[in-house]
Amino acid sequence: MAEQLYCTVVTDVGSAKIAQAIQSGDPYMIVNAAVGDGGGAYYMPTPAQTELRREVWRGQIAACEIDQNSPNMLNVKFIIPPDVGGWTVREACLLDIDGGMLAVCNLPDTQKAVRMIRVHIASPMYCAICLKFTVAVIAVSFVKFHDAVYPAV
């Protein structure tokens, strides 16, 4: 069996919307995450994807933070409720307020018993991304992003 690789890919839709947000100054609102079973098999995600191969759950983002060890990485966490399941998680994605897919990742086969999933995205363009949570909107401002990536020497 060939070695299986796992990664997160910013989609073409996500790249275009981030660029548009930077140009316009309007935030790019990320509100949901989704998981799927990959259609029953391993696959490598591509930037051209606009949806999961087979989505089985969608819900709100629970947390987001800039990675302390890699300041150009955004860590996004979401939790699948315990009463949902019966499938193997093989893929996940982050979705914007319009349902567009920002990023997609493949995952090692994981039984749904694991309820918390983290998606890691590396990009130099977080100044345009805004994550919407149930009770608040968290924005990574350009100043905070710049200071995290380029700390004073």
Side-chain angles (χ1 to χ4, degrees):
M1 183 170 155
E3 181 181 7
Q4 295 181 340
L5 303 174
Y6 301 95
C7 65
T8 301
V9 176
V10 176
T11 65
D12 294 339
V13 168
S15 293
K17 288 188 173 189
I18 290 170
Q20 180 182 13
I22 290 170
Q23 184 177 22
S24 70
D26 295 330
Y28 178 33
M29 301 293 291
I30 305 300
V31 296
N32 288 322
V35 297
D37 69 2
Y42 166 87
Y43 77 95
M44 282 297 292
T46 68
Q49 275 185 254
T50 58
E51 59 187 23
L52 295 175
R53 288 215 173 155
R54 185 164 54 205
E55 183 178 319
V56 294
W57 177 85
R58 181 180 293 208
Q60 294 179 336
I61 293 168
C64 176
E65 64 185 9
I66 295 174
D67 191 285
Q68 292 182 343
N69 298 319
S70 299
N72 69 330
M73 185 173 296
L74 192 63
N75 299 322
V76 181
K77 178 175 77 172
F78 52 96
I79 300 169
I80 301 171
D83 61 334
V84 177
W87 24 263
T88 299
V89 176
R90 292 186 180 93
E91 59 184 343
C93 70
L94 301 175
L95 302 156
D96 66 30
I97 200 161
D98 300 320
M101 185 185 291
L102 163 66
V104 60
C105 68
N106 59 349
L107 302 164
D109 287 8
T110 306
Q111 293 302 312
K112 195 306 208 137
V114 176
R115 293 180 288 222
M116 184 184 69
I117 297 178
R118 285 192 175 103
V119 176
H120 308 283
I121 309 167
S123 172
M125 299 183 285
Y126 293 127
C127 55
I129 298 176
C130 200
L131 294 130
K132 185 174 182 185
F133 298 86
T134 306
V135 294
V137 175
I138 307 288
V140 179
S141 72
F142 179 75
V143 172
K144 286 181 184 176
F145 174 77
H146 185 273
D147 291 347
V149 175
Y150 306 104
V153 179

